[in-house]
Amino acid sequence: MLSTIQVGTVLIDDSPLIARFLGLECEACSGSWSVVKLLDGFALDRKIHAAGWNFFFMAAEIKVVFFGGLGARNIQNAMTRILRKVKQQHFNGLEVTGIVAKRFLGVPYGTVSAHSRHIQQGGRLDGAEARRLSRRDDDWARG
């Protein structure tokens, strides 16, 4: 996983169709997830809307807490846990919205927070079952 994960980073579950259609420059991150390069959530949203698609933002925040400082390893582990949660919900995107170092009684810990995102053609967010089937079709198209 990249050590360049920061607030504003957008990751997509690498669908060759979406990345190719939208002309996105991506870099492999973790499993099937890729970091969208050179675009934050707002710029990516504009690009997706210009192509006639939609980029949904889920209001529910996903937050992971870890012990220790904000080292690359701790952030990577936190992102792996977050990506697992997003994948269970069958969303194909994620935007990192917070990375914060804290202390409690002198013990350092950190939090990484993110919001699920979803790229699709329709103007109404598909239900979980339709998103699951869509992801399965993308997995089939991948090979």
Side-chain angles (χ1 to χ4, degrees):
M1 185 176 294
L2 300 172
S3 61
T4 58
I5 299 293
Q6 58 189 3
V7 173
T9 298
V10 176
L11 294 92
I12 60 170
D13 191 8
D14 197 16
S15 166
L17 301 174
I18 291 174
R20 191 176 320 128
F21 179 76
L22 297 172
L24 300 177
E25 188 177 339
C26 298
E27 187 174 338
C29 180
S30 174
S32 63
W33 291 89
S34 296
V35 172
V36 176
K37 295 172 66 175
L38 308 174
L39 296 173
D40 64 5
F42 295 113
L44 183 57
D45 186 47
R46 285 191 299 275
K47 187 168 190 156
I48 290 169
H49 277 107
W53 289 32
N54 290 292
F55 193 34
F56 294 94
F57 181 89
M58 305 306 127
E61 182 178 60
I62 302 167
K63 188 180 278 191
V64 170
V65 178
F66 58 88
F67 290 105
L70 289 183
R73 183 115 174 131
N74 285 339
I75 292 173
Q76 289 174 357
N77 290 339
M79 288 302 301
T80 299
R81 290 167 46 200
I82 288 173
L83 291 172
R84 206 172 308 127
K85 291 179 182 184
V86 172
K87 198 159 192 146
Q88 288 173 351
Q89 299 170 342
H90 308 292
F91 292 118
N92 61 11
L94 171 84
E95 184 173 352
V96 178
T97 55
I99 300 175
V100 180
K102 299 181 180 183
R103 287 188 171 277
F104 181 74
L105 299 175
V107 177
Y109 70 99
T111 61
V112 176
S113 53
H115 287 266
S116 298
R117 303 291 306 250
H118 192 70
I119 302 169
Q120 72 175 47
Q121 285 183 304
R124 224 171 80 198
L125 181 63
D126 291 338
E129 183 64 15
R131 291 191 311 267
R132 184 185 67 77
L133 292 173
S134 173
R135 288 174 64 109
R136 189 181 70 195
D137 292 343
D138 286 346
D139 290 342
W140 179 82
R142 251 182 262 187

